[in-house]
Amino acid sequence: MAAPVEFLRKRRGGGDAPQSEPLKAPGWEPPTCPPRLLPGTFWLTRIVLLRALAFIYFVAFLVAYNQNKQLIGEKGLLPSKLYLKQIQQYFRGKSAWDSFSYSPTIIWFLDWSYMDFILDSISLLGLGVSAFVTITSCANMILMAILWILYFSLAHVGQIWYAFGWEFQLLETGFLGIFLCPLWTFSQLPKHTPTSSIVIWGFRWLIFRIMLGAGLIKVRGDRCWRELTCMDYHYETQPVPNPVAYYLHQSPWWFHQFETLSNHFIELVVPFFIFLGRRMCIIHGIVQILFQVILIISGNLSFLNWLTIIPSIACFDDAALGFLFGSQRGGVKDQVHKMQLEEAKENKPPVRYGCLVRRVVNVSFGVLIACLSIPVIMNLLNSKQVMNTSFNPLRIVNTYGAFGSITKERTEVIIQGTSSLEANDSTAVWEEYEFKCKPGNLKRRPCLISPYHYRLDWLMWFAAFQTYEQNEWIFHLAGKLLANDPEALSLIAFNPFEGKDPPRWIRGEHYRYKFSRPGGKHAAEGKWWIRKRIGPYFPAVSLKGLKDFFKSRDWPYPGHG
């Protein structure tokens, strides 16, 4: 009975009969197969870039909201209102434009009588907009321009608190982010506004300059980079070490030399991979992102390394980033696949007027970046290279660099207070204030806060290898601590006079700090650090004794309370 069945199977085309393949239209794939994205487009790249950039904006505005009032508010350590008034006095007799161009910020046009409210409003608006973009990955040029203007305005009244490379870098990255988006449309995939390759190359040019600038400033700077010994010191002496840095510092000398060589390769050689075709560009992106992740793990460098990952994302096109997105029908990845197929058709619809305008804008943007890059390139080629500098007031194209010199010893300023009537009394008990993150208490574990940032702790690191004359704000801090000022104390982790009368005297003591050795005597006592007193950093001061000093600088005199 099997034979007739086999015969029928063959008659119907079953069995061993040859099968004819169904005709497939170009781009046709079985329904169950996930879409295979084509290289060369950057729809998904834009989504990832916008979300990453908005996240960094969110962190930056969160830091600003939590700390700006205490640092640059009406009663801050360096009040921004006073700073703007000093600019006005400097340009007295000249046009208002001179003052604005020196420090371009929207705060010039607002009522300074409510400076704390202004600073909070800017930060809260920035938090809201950046949170929206992070969650939805939908943005247009207007929203991204708002974020840029808001942070630009804060940075230009932030004085020394905002004088670091990552502030310049965020503004340049944020400016590029504006041109990623359509003018009006709120859509993850604005069909008529594909991501411009000019903007993508703007991001690539940024990461190239960041890494090459960092590499060149090292080999031209501290000789320990050429002798391959800088990593013997870096983990211990970096501004705000974390727990991982404690253990990495104990690594053998040959491992530190390997780290230094790897650093030189990644910063001086790998950046040129960008210009060697798609595959090498992707390799560049992978290497740089992994490098930044290692730096994030090994130290608290604010949001710098998180921010540096962003332009590296531009090294990946849709085909490379497709794995980050689901393959469900109607999803973002599926929509991009359909748009790619539509673009590949021979009969394309006529170019819209708006698209032509956008192309002109993108070309103009590219010309602007090229022109502003000329002094930056000259700086890179100069043996007297400067880092973290802008050659234009808008901080659009900047120079970058990090750790051109390495401090070989770690010193700390320890703020102490006493209730003794006399500062020179040998029986006086001096109690220490503890900052949020900087080393102080020997038994306190190093903090882990990146990408968040404590600006006061960071400046205390710089103050420790400078003098108090170079950091007058430290006396403003001392005065506020003498008054138990709640705003200043919000920047402090531990106030030894909490619930008691304020101290009568405040002084700064200078110490040399070193990591304890795991398994050693100090580590067995629970100490992460060991320290040795160098001497006084600034003499004991009282609130009454600071009155004339405060008056000469127009600082508000803190009252008791």
Side-chain angles (χ1 to χ4, degrees):
M1 296 295 293
V5 174
E6 187 69 23
F7 174 78
L8 290 173
R9 186 180 295 138
K10 291 181 179 180
R11 289 277 315 260
R12 292 171 183 168
D16 298 325
Q19 297 289 321
S20 60
E21 292 291 330
L23 294 176
K24 297 181 181 179
W28 182 92
E29 291 183 359
T32 56
C33 292
R36 292 182 181 178
L37 299 181
L38 304 174
T41 62
F42 299 92
W43 299 98
L44 300 182
T45 308
R46 170 163 53 191
I47 292 174
V48 179
L49 280 170
L50 284 176
R51 275 190 162 162
L53 176 57
F55 170 73
I56 299 301
Y57 265 131
F58 183 86
V59 173
F61 282 115
L62 183 64
V63 172
Y65 179 71
N66 289 334
Q67 300 175 37
N68 271 1
K69 291 190 297 295
Q70 300 90 318
L71 299 176
I72 59 174
E74 293 178 20
K75 298 181 179 180
L77 296 180
L78 292 173
S80 54
K81 181 194 299 186
L82 180 60
Y83 173 68
L84 293 175
K85 286 181 178 178
Q86 290 171 343
I87 294 174
Q88 282 183 326
Q89 291 173 359
Y90 180 79
F91 290 103
R92 180 175 292 174
K94 300 182 179 180
S95 68
W97 173 253
D98 293 311
S99 297
F100 180 83
S101 61
Y102 181 83
S103 182
T105 171
I106 59 173
I107 296 177
W108 284 112
F109 308 106
L110 303 175
D111 186 351
W112 300 351
S113 302
Y114 306 97
M115 186 60 75
D116 285 354
F117 175 76
I118 291 171
L119 295 173
D120 278 352
S121 298
I122 290 175
S123 300
L124 287 172
L125 180 57
L127 281 170
V129 175
S130 58
F132 172 80
V133 177
T134 304
I135 294 169
T136 65
S137 66
C138 296
N140 57 25
M141 294 185 76
I142 296 174
L143 274 190
M144 298 307 293
I146 288 173
L147 286 174
W148 185 80
I149 291 169
L150 292 175
Y151 201 75
F152 185 82
S153 295
L154 291 179
H156 277 84
V157 295
Q159 304 161 79
I160 60 172
W161 312 107
Y162 282 77
F164 299 101
W166 56 80
E167 313 294 353
F168 293 75
Q169 191 174 322
L170 177 55
L171 289 172
E172 180 170 353
T173 309
F175 186 80
L176 293 172
I178 296 172
F179 293 87
L180 275 175
C181 308
L183 177 60
W184 299 105
T185 307
F186 278 109
S187 172
Q188 286 185 323
L189 301 171
K191 185 175 181 181
H192 300 293
T193 314
T195 311
S196 168
S197 58
I198 295 176
V199 180
I200 291 297
W201 275 102
F203 279 102
R204 293 175 180 177
W205 175 231
L206 171 59
I207 188 61
F208 176 83
R209 288 183 287 111
I210 291 171
M211 302 312 298
L212 187 62
L216 290 175
I217 202 72
K218 288 181 176 68
V219 297
R220 288 169 174 166
D222 201 316
R223 60 184 297 178
C224 71
W225 287 112
R226 298 186 295 275
E227 296 172 350
L228 307 183
T229 59
C230 275
M231 297 308 292
D232 294 343
Y233 313 101
H234 167 72
Y235 294 116
E236 183 177 74
T237 62
Q238 64 178 307
V240 187
N242 67 11
V244 178
Y246 172 83
Y247 294 102
L248 286 173
H249 179 68
Q250 320 298 334
S251 302
W253 64 269
W254 57 265
F255 183 77
H256 289 318
Q257 287 197 345
F258 170 74
E259 289 179 304
T260 311
L261 277 172
S262 300
N263 184 92
H264 290 333
F265 176 74
I266 291 171
E267 292 185 341
L268 294 171
V269 178
V270 172
F272 291 93
F273 289 8
I274 288 177
F275 307 107
L276 301 180
R278 178 177 178 268
R279 288 187 179 180
M280 294 301 288
C281 188
I282 290 174
I283 291 173
H284 168 274
I286 294 171
V287 171
Q288 297 297 0
I289 290 174
L290 290 176
F291 182 54
Q292 298 307 317
V293 169
I294 291 171
L295 295 177
I296 290 168
I297 293 171
S298 62
N300 293 301
L301 299 176
S302 183
F303 49 77
L304 172 62
N305 306 116
W306 299 75
L307 177 61
T308 306
I309 289 174
I310 293 176
S312 299
I313 295 170
C315 295
F316 304 93
D317 56 18
D318 292 337
L321 291 179
F323 73 97
L324 295 176
F325 297 81
S327 300
Q328 66 274 17
R329 280 188 171 278
V332 172
K333 186 176 178 180
D334 184 56
Q335 293 179 55
V336 169
H337 180 59
K338 292 176 180 177
M339 293 166 72
Q340 288 181 334
L341 296 179
E342 188 73 21
E343 181 68 19
K345 288 182 179 179
E346 293 184 1
N347 298 324
K348 297 180 181 179
V351 179
R352 293 157 50 112
Y353 174 76
C355 295
L356 289 174
V357 172
R358 185 55 187 253
R359 288 179 184 178
V360 172
V361 171
N362 289 335
V363 171
S364 303
F365 166 79
V367 172
L368 174 66
I369 296 299
C371 293
L372 295 178
S373 294
I374 293 173
V376 175
I377 295 172
M378 299 303 295
N379 178 69
L380 285 173
L381 298 176
N382 194 329
S383 60
K384 297 181 180 180
Q385 173 194 0
V386 294
M387 66 180 191
N388 300 329
T389 302
S390 183
F391 296 102
N392 61 85
L394 295 181
R395 300 187 182 183
I396 294 174
V397 181
N398 312 302
T399 68
Y400 298 102
F403 296 106
S405 61
I406 295 289
T407 51
K408 308 305 188 294
E409 291 184 333
R410 180 178 201 92
T411 57
E412 291 289 346
V413 178
I414 303 299
I415 307 294
Q416 300 175 339
T418 183
S419 296
S420 176
L421 293 174
E422 296 293 334
N424 295 325
D425 188 348
S426 59
T427 63
V429 177
W430 291 90
E431 300 181 80
E432 297 184 3
Y433 289 86
E434 195 73 27
F435 285 74
K436 297 279 189 180
C437 210
K438 90 174 192 70
N441 186 337
L442 303 181
K443 293 186 177 182
R444 189 175 75 162
R445 187 188 68 182
C447 65
L448 187 63
I449 56 166
S450 180
Y452 196 75
H453 177 51
Y454 293 116
R455 297 189 183 277
L456 177 59
D457 292 53
W458 194 273
L459 263 293
M460 289 296 292
W461 179 75
F462 279 94
F465 54 81
Q466 297 171 339
T467 65
Y468 67 82
E469 291 92 348
Q470 295 171 285
N471 298 276
E472 290 186 344
W473 55 267
I474 206 166
F475 283 113
H476 202 174
L477 175 63
K480 288 177 173 293
L481 297 179
L482 284 164
N484 267 355
D485 180 76
E487 282 195 354
L489 288 171
S490 69
L491 300 173
I492 303 294
F494 173 70
N495 171 21
F497 298 92
E498 184 176 2
K500 300 186 289 187
D501 289 336
R504 288 189 171 91
W505 300 92
I506 289 286
R507 72 181 184 185
E509 291 288 282
H510 211 186
Y511 284 87
R512 182 177 294 110
Y513 270 64
K514 297 184 70 174
F515 276 138
S516 65
R517 183 168 294 279
K521 181 184 72 172
H522 297 95
E525 296 172 355
K527 295 179 179 178
W528 292 79
W529 298 95
I530 56 177
R531 74 182 186 183
K532 183 179 180 180
R533 185 177 181 272
I534 299 172
Y537 181 79
F538 65 83
V541 293
S542 65
L543 193 56
K544 183 178 180 180
L546 288 173
K547 189 171 185 178
D548 290 340
F549 184 80
F550 275 54
K551 185 176 180 181
S552 68
R553 283 149 182 80
D554 290 330
W555 290 343
Y557 186 65
H560 290 275

